[in-house]
């Protein structure tokens, strides 16, 4: 059954493009803030690196659907992969915070294109009855590089240096070839003169924003809030592996039982996981190993599963001509949450502690519980 999804026309090309694109993205996600710290930036400056990346990602996502209609899929996809990949090589030229922020902004433009087009193509390439499973496979293509590079990034820097990470960051540029082929296949997407039902898309976006705020904070600050590079690597590994498996399996459950029954327990799981993490880092001098690994795993489960389920809900809320808009709104929730997690948690931690900041992040997730228990009207 899972293999049949990959045999859908273009799905294997989408997986290849996604792996290359997200390898370059994931490699720099925890390392670019460390590069800023290497250049003398503090926790606020380090948080701004991924904050700026996600700000420009979100700004780009707002215009991707219109850009696809005006310029076509192949040119937009090609530009996105180049903008995401090529600037990574320039990180080696300077560890000045201003330079890092500019390069992060340019990479955000490319990442905005990749995220919107990638998830929209899933809906185009696979029929609705198997869409949850297809999103799960697409999620594995995203999560695989994150498991490898987000968790190992601090270790690679400590043992092999920053240069190898900057080289990996260029990989999205190699994804231009599958992007061109996919772009040509997607030109048949029908258009609609009606406005997308944005109000129905706000619910999955808000649910996703809350959990990615938590996940983005952990990815950005796991290294500085832990007392050991090895421990932070294992904690990030727990987060990313749990997220990958949960996102994959959530698709199968969603196709069988629908996404709604699983959403509210996962919101609670995010809050519990953040509270456990806050307990684990309450003492700046000594990290509670069990609490850190357990909390990272719990947040990872909700982080991965809610990515799948909220995307299924978003596509259920719109008709086919609006898949691109649904993808854009969903990705805005994802990346706005990731960016807010980087900036907000960094600012709170600078003014108080990481423990307090994590508790705030968990409380924000809990505020979305009323949205999680409400059943939406679907098409």
């Amino acid at each position: 059954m899972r293999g049949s999804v990959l045999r859908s026309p273009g799905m294997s090309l989408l997986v290849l493009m996604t792996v290359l694109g997200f390898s370059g993205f994931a490699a720099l996600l925890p390392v670019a803030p460390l590069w800023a710290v290497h250049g003398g930036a503090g926790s606020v400056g380090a948080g701004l690196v991924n904050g700026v990346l996600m700000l420009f990602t979100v700004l780009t996502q707002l215009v991707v659907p219109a850009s696809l209609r005006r310029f076509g899929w192949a040119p937009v996809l090609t530009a996105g992969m180049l903008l995401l990949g090529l600037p990574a090589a320039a990180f080696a030229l300077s560890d000045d915070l201003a330079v890092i922020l500019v390069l992060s902004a340019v990479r955000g433009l490319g990442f905005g294109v990749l995220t919107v087009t990638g998830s929209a193509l899933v809906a185009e390439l696979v029929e609705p009855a198997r869409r949850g499973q297809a999103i799960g496979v697409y999620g594995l293509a995203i999560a695989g590089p994150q498991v490898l590079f987000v968790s190992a990034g601090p270790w690679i820097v400590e043992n092999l240096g920053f240069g190898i990470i900057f080289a990996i960051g260029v990989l999205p540029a190699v994804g231009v070839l599958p992007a061109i082929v996919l772009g040509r296949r997607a030109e048949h997407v029908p258009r609609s003169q009606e406005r997308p039902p944005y109000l129905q898309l706000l619910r999955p976006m808000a649910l996703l924003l809350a959990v990615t705020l938590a996940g983005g904070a952990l990815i950005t600050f796991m290294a500085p809030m832990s007392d050991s590079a090895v421990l932070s690597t294992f904690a990030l590994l727990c987060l990313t592996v749990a997220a990958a498996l949960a996102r994959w399996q959530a698709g199968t459950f969603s196709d069988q039982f629908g996404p709604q029954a699983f959403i509210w327990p996962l919101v609670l799981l995010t809050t519990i996981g953040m509270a456990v993490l806050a307990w684990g880092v309450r003492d700046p001098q000594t990290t509670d190993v069990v609490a850190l690994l357990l909390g990272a795993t719990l947040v990872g489960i909700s982080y991965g599963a809610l990515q799948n389920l909220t995307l299924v809900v978003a596509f259920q809320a719109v008709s086919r001509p609006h898949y691109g808009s649904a993808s854009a709104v969903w990705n805005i929730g994802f990346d706005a949450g990731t960016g807010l997690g980087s900036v907000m948690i960094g600012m709170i931690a600078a003014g108080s502690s990481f423990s307090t900041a994590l508790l705030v992040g968990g409380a924000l997730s809990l505020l979305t519980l009323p949205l999680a228990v409400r059943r939406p009207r679907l098409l």
Side-chain angles (χ1 to χ4, degrees), residues 31-43 45-46 49 91 93-100 157 162 166:
V31 169
L34 290 178
W35 186 235
V37 172
H38 180 273
S43 61
V49 174
F91 275 93
L93 300 178
S94 174
D95 60 4
D96 181 76
L97 180 60
V99 174
I100 294 171
V157 167
F162 285 95
F166 298 151

Side-chain angles (χ1 to χ4, degrees), residues 46-128:
L48 283 174
V49 174
N50 285 340
V52 167
L53 172 72
M54 292 308 167
L55 171 62
F56 279 82
T57 295
V58 170
L59 292 175
T60 303
Q61 288 164 344
L62 291 170
V63 300
V64 168
S67 299
L68 292 172
R69 292 191 294 269
R70 180 171 182 178
F71 302 108
W73 281 75
V76 172
L77 273 170
T78 300
M81 298 303 283
L82 293 176
L83 287 169
L84 178 59
L86 294 182
F91 275 93
L93 300 178
S94 174
D95 60 4
D96 181 76
L97 180 60
V99 174
I100 294 171
L101 293 178
V102 169
L103 293 174
S104 297
V106 176
R107 293 181 69 245
L109 300 177
F111 190 58
V113 171
L114 173 63
T115 52
V116 172
T117 54
S119 50
L121 283 168
V122 174
E124 282 296 327
L125 296 172
V126 180
E127 64 272 18

